[in-house]
Amino acid sequence: MADTKKDLLTLFDFSSDEILEIIKLSKKLKNKRGSSEPKVFSNRTGVLIFEKPSLRTRLTFETALNELGGHAVNLDSHTIGMGKRESVEDVARNLDRIVHLVVARTYKHQTIEQLARYCSIPVINALSDMFHPCQALAFALSIYERLSFEDKLNIVFIGDGNNVCNSLMAVCAKLGHHFTVISPRGYEPDVSIQKIAAEVSKHTGGSITVTNDLSPAVNSSNVIYTDVWASMGQEEEQEKRKVDFKDYQVNMDLISKAPEDVLVTHCLPAHRGEEITSEVLDSKHSMAFDEAENRLHVQKATIVHLFS
Ligand code: CP
Ligand code: NVA
């Protein structure tokens, strides 16, 4: 491993070239899955710590670590009492002595930052309240499997401007795409993150737009993305959010306003009939389940990148 360890906390920490390299490597690893894969994690152990539920992230990371020659240990955050039984710093100091990689899903982004600060081994963000970088990488691989690396695309996110939206904003800024967020008033992404993304976009030829208005961006969109209205940890706001977001559903009526070949996707789990209808999620436009599979390939490529 390199002398200075690298983490994946947010894609803003990666250069555009690094991101493209990971995407291209993901595609190669996907093509040769099951044969001649680099065993970069051989004799190594990764620990998976989750403060919130997960299907895809846990499964794809565990599979990725196995396929790269190592293995995974799952730790339930309640069992280890991160920040309660023991401080986050001390948990980090222990992990650092025993395993080779930390993959963590936390409520506060600050918890992941603390783990990274007190570990000399790489730490990967498996979703925090601010970012979900692995999802954005899987998204990028999924679009590049269908559309050219050269094109500047119009990517529209409809919904809550939080973790998934922020990471899509980061990847679109880094790769020079035009990213529009359409959120109900009060659910726009954090202004400080918008500013960072806009600054990056200046250098890559992309753009960042945030609006409450559904129509114009949808008309010229190449891809429409959506996410649940109430994220994990916001369950008590579910009913209020159903009212606030009701006009922002991705349904066939909305899709009919977009170009005929528009792609639609979702990080999953989907709340069918809320932020997206089954008619759209199961339609020819949808790449959501391909994106779910691509989590495996981009995470393998990320681990290869961090351990090469
Ligand atoms: N998209 C995603 O991160 O899924 P899980 O919450 O199931 O891991
Ligand atoms: N915004 C969602 C994403 C789930 C993958 C959440 O945080 O629950």
Side-chain angles (χ1 to χ4, degrees):
M1 217 175 94
D3 290 344
T4 319
K5 68 117 175 194
K6 184 140 178 113
D7 304 304
L8 174 54
L9 306 190
T10 153
L11 290 172
F12 286 122
D13 298 337
F14 278 53
S15 68
S16 304
D17 285 347
E18 270 179 303
I19 293 173
L20 279 175
E21 203 180 292
I22 291 173
I23 303 304
K24 288 180 181 166
L25 177 60
S26 310
K27 188 65 193 155
K28 281 192 197 142
L29 293 175
K30 184 171 180 175
N31 290 340
K32 61 180 179 190
R33 188 174 179 202
S35 66
S36 64
E37 290 175 87
K39 300 293 180 196
V40 299
F41 215 65
S42 163
N43 296 320
R44 286 179 162 136
T45 300
V47 67
L48 313 184
I49 302 178
F50 281 68
E51 291 185 341
K52 305 181 193 180
S54 168
L55 166 65
R56 281 148 290 269
T57 308
R58 199 186 274 280
L59 183 61
T60 50
F61 266 111
E62 190 159 343
T63 307
L65 294 175
N66 289 339
E67 292 187 5
L68 293 175
H71 67 271
V73 173
N74 280 282
L75 287 184
D76 180 73
S77 69
H78 297 298
T79 312
I80 60 170
M82 192 160 63
K84 292 192 180 82
R85 182 170 179 262
E86 200 161 4
S87 69
V88 178
E89 290 92 321
D90 281 351
V91 169
R93 288 185 179 107
N94 281 271
L95 298 175
D96 198 40
R97 300 293 186 103
I98 302 163
V99 295
H100 305 92
L101 169 70
V102 178
V103 176
R105 168 168 287 192
T106 61
Y107 283 97
K108 292 189 200 139
H109 186 68
Q110 202 189 10
T111 307
I112 302 206
E113 290 180 332
Q114 273 177 301
L115 285 172
R117 192 170 315 126
Y118 291 93
C119 277
S120 63
I121 54 174
V123 174
I124 298 180
N125 179 356
L127 179 145
S128 65
D129 57 356
M130 279 173 72
F131 295 110
H132 197 5
C134 301
Q135 191 71 49
L137 289 173
F139 167 73
L141 172 59
S142 308
I143 56 171
Y144 288 143
E145 285 181 322
R146 291 163 172 80
L147 305 167
S148 155
F149 272 87
E150 310 304 325
D151 292 342
K152 299 281 176 210
L153 301 170
N154 293 328
I155 315 248
V156 175
F157 178 90
I158 302 179
D160 190 14
N162 76 346
N163 46 17
V164 170
C165 174
N166 290 338
S167 285
L168 293 172
M169 185 153 46
V171 87
C172 288
K174 290 280 178 177
L175 299 176
H177 296 304
H178 301 294
F179 186 67
T180 302
V181 183
I182 306 178
S183 301
R185 208 170 290 283
Y187 295 96
E188 299 89 351
D190 196 290
V191 174
S192 63
I193 298 174
Q194 289 183 42
K195 279 194 185 144
I196 299 170
E199 193 52 42
V200 173
S201 295
K202 275 192 206 158
H203 302 283
T204 58
S207 63
I208 306 295
T209 307
V210 177
T211 173
N212 308 119
D213 183 1
L214 263 173
S215 18
V218 169
N219 301 345
S220 58
S221 55
N222 299 105
V223 189
I224 295 175
Y225 205 115
T226 190
D227 183 11
V228 291
W229 291 338
S231 285
M232 291 178 274
Q234 298 173 331
E235 289 75 10
E236 75 290 353
E237 292 177 35
Q238 199 135 14
E239 292 311 310
K240 177 182 176 351
R241 283 170 176 257
K242 273 186 196 167
V243 176
D244 294 348
F245 283 84
K246 70 176 185 338
D247 297 331
Y248 293 79
Q249 184 185 64
V250 177
N251 52 35
M252 276 302 178
D253 186 40
L254 182 111
I255 298 303
S256 70
K257 298 185 174 88
E260 227 171 289
D261 57 355
V262 70
L263 295 166
V264 179
T265 189
H266 191 303
C267 51
L268 305 175
H271 292 173
R272 290 168 180 260
E274 292 185 19
E275 75 278 358
I276 192 165
T277 59
S278 286
E279 207 183 352
V280 175
L281 189 60
D282 300 331
S283 73
K284 63 175 188 215
H285 299 283
S286 174
M287 60 173 206
F289 293 94
D290 290 338
E291 185 176 318
E293 179 199 323
N294 282 340
R295 293 289 304 278
L296 171 66
H297 309 300
V298 296
Q299 287 159 200
K300 280 165 87 170
T302 302
I303 295 164
V304 172
H305 180 77
L306 295 178
F307 282 84
S308 301

